[in-house]
Amino acid sequence: MDCRTSREVLSARLDGEAEPVPAAEVDAHVEQCPDCSTWLVRAQALTRTIRVRPAQPAPDLVAAVLADAPPRHIALAPRLALAAVAIVQLWLALAQLLAGATSSPAHGITGHLFNEGAAWNLALGIGLLVAAVHAHRAAGLLPTLGGFVAVLGAFSVHDLLTGAATAARVLTHVPLLAGLVLLCLVHRAHRNLPTPGTPAQHDHDEHDGSGESDDHRPTRAEKRGRGGLRPTAHRRAA
């Protein structure tokens, strides 16, 4: 084996490419050739110098990031208030269930229909408590609670005007209205935060430097083909 072939094979080895010649033959030549042995030592040092570089100094952005972040107590306050409203709602629902179990339903409401209303109020209390603990779930409860409060408000006004319900009974729905307002605040405070299991989005996701415009959307097969490490260069071995 000549020195030229040996050094081409060693260069491919340093670049992580396939060696066209058995490694044992190359190693045997390097052991017997002082020039190739010296060349290998210099090539290894040069490769390490190119690939391993000292870290460049960067500005410390910790103080700036912490200054822009909202105070923790502001983001936590709506959740604590929502938890308190949820507990009140649960207490009212349990009181309604106990009252229905110990006395006959009022205004001719059947027992099953009365239990359905109590179960719905209890479920809303549980939902508000879950949203207070897991703020990212607040968005899922907003449409349901918002629609229920709107319809319940309309019926409450009608029942007050017709005398079908007392003011004390209508006031028991105030926790739901307060829960809806707090649910909106919790959702607004946490809608920009990443949810668990969601990958962060960056600007370079849309412009990855591949020269593709936004109009070209890669297919699923193309995305799979981009995974993993790829060689930065190719060279034809002798």
Side-chain angles (χ1 to χ4, degrees), residues 91-230:
W91 178 79
L92 291 174
L94 291 175
Q96 183 179 355
L97 285 174
L98 293 177
T102 56
S103 61
S104 59
H107 303 289
I109 302 177
T110 61
H112 182 66
L113 184 60
F114 183 86
N115 291 334
E116 284 184 356
W120 173 247
N121 288 325
L122 185 62
L124 287 178
I126 295 174
L128 291 176
L129 189 59
V130 171
V133 177
H134 303 285
H136 63 277
R137 299 187 182 276
L141 188 58
L142 271 175
T144 302
L145 185 59
F148 178 69
V149 169
V151 175
L152 182 61
F155 277 110
S156 297
V157 173
H158 175 270
D159 292 343
L160 281 175
L161 295 177
T162 59
T166 62
R169 176 59 183 169
V170 173
L171 288 177
T172 59
H173 304 318
V174 172
L176 289 177
L177 180 60
L180 178 61
V181 175
L182 292 171
L183 201 63
C184 293
L185 294 177
V186 171
H187 170 61
R188 290 187 60 182
H190 295 80
R191 63 183 175 182
N192 294 328
L193 298 180
T195 58
T198 302
Q201 300 293 331
H202 303 282
D203 294 337
H204 59 73
D205 292 341
E206 297 181 358
H207 305 280
D208 56 358
S210 59
E212 299 175 348
S213 62
D214 293 341
D215 296 336
H216 175 74
R217 300 296 181 182
T219 62
R220 184 173 300 178
E222 291 176 347
K223 291 180 179 179
R224 287 198 299 266
R226 293 180 180 178
L229 298 178
R230 295 175 298 175

Side-chain angles (χ1 to χ4, degrees), residues 13-158:
R13 180 186 300 179
L14 293 175
D15 293 338
E17 300 178 359
E19 301 179 27
V21 179
E25 297 182 10
V26 179
D27 294 338
H29 174 80
V30 171
E31 291 179 359
Q32 298 175 0
C33 180
D35 293 338
C36 289
S37 178
T38 303
W39 183 92
L40 178 59
V41 173
R42 293 179 179 177
Q44 289 175 338
L46 179 61
T47 301
R48 180 172 180 81
T49 302
I50 294 176
R51 295 182 178 179
V52 181
R53 298 181 180 178
Q56 299 295 329
D60 187 3
L61 301 178
V62 175
V65 172
L66 293 178
D68 291 339
R72 189 173 182 85
H73 67 275
I74 295 179
L76 189 61
R79 297 175 62 181
L80 294 177
L82 183 61
V85 170
I87 293 175
V88 173
Q89 178 65 22
L90 289 174
W91 178 79
L92 291 174
L94 291 175
Q96 183 179 355
L97 285 174
L98 293 177
T102 56
S103 61
S104 59
H107 303 289
I109 302 177
T110 61
H112 182 66
L113 184 60
F114 183 86
N115 291 334
E116 284 184 356
W120 173 247
N121 288 325
L122 185 62
L124 287 178
I126 295 174
L128 291 176
L129 189 59
V130 171
V133 177
H134 303 285
H136 63 277
R137 299 187 182 276
L141 188 58
L142 271 175
T144 302
L145 185 59
F148 178 69
V149 169
V151 175
L152 182 61
F155 277 110
S156 297
V157 173
H158 175 270

